[in-house]
Amino acid sequence: MRSHPAPGEMIRTWWQRLAPLPGGRWLFSRFMGWRAPYTGSMGAIVCELGPGYALVQLPDRRRVRNHLDSLHAVALLNLAEFATGLAVLVGLPPDVRGIVTGLSITYHKKARGRITAECRCTIPPVTADQEYEVQAALTDPAGDVVARATARWRLGPRPRAQ
């Protein structure tokens, strides 16, 4: 017997309950920010979510800017990790666990305006521990790619409770 449901199950359940409601995506995003306070401090909004897919936007606000008057590099990396994490976790079956073991990002231009992070991935069958990499593209309001990020995940079967 498992004491806690898989994170993906919880995320899927709350998305399905809240997203269709007026203001539901904002409320879901605040809920996720409560579950992951550091990520929540950015104020990102989850716009679309499904197994292997996430689209998350980060409003351009002073709290996420740097001294060059553009979005801070770490805020962009956090946004990418949030998008890849949602896409992977929502796509995992309940008997599989995953944890990020690495993040990398390449910056292409200064990020200004509302930045959108999009992650599409196909979750592989998991019967034993394995590494899995997913990418996110971060774009500005003009559709220009400002950064590309890769998250490396360790996937494996969840231990069975005794």
Side-chain angles (χ1 to χ4, degrees), residues 42-155:
M42 292 189 317
I45 304 293
V46 180
C47 301
E48 296 179 36
L49 182 60
Y53 182 74
L55 185 110
V56 183
Q57 292 186 332
L58 180 62
D60 187 344
R61 300 185 343 244
R62 184 177 184 278
R63 76 175 355 173
V64 293
R65 284 184 162 265
N66 60 25
H67 64 288
L68 301 173
D69 203 30
S70 60
L71 273 71
H72 196 283
V74 175
L76 296 174
L77 182 61
N78 193 345
L79 180 66
E81 192 272 339
F82 190 34
T84 60
L86 288 170
V88 169
L89 290 173
V90 169
L92 290 178
D95 61 342
V96 174
R97 66 180 175 180
I99 187 166
V100 173
T101 59
L103 290 168
S104 64
I105 191 164
T106 302
Y107 302 99
H108 299 285
K109 65 180 275 191
K110 287 183 182 178
R112 293 197 169 109
R114 181 179 294 262
I115 301 300
T116 300
E118 185 174 30
C119 176
R120 292 179 192 274
C121 60
T122 302
I123 306 299
V126 178
T127 57
D129 286 351
Q130 66 185 68
E131 296 291 319
Y132 178 61
E133 288 189 350
V134 294
Q135 287 76 40
L138 284 71
T139 56
D140 64 15
D144 294 335
V145 174
V146 298
R148 291 189 189 278
T150 300
R152 187 174 55 254
W153 283 77
R154 181 77 169 162
L155 304 178

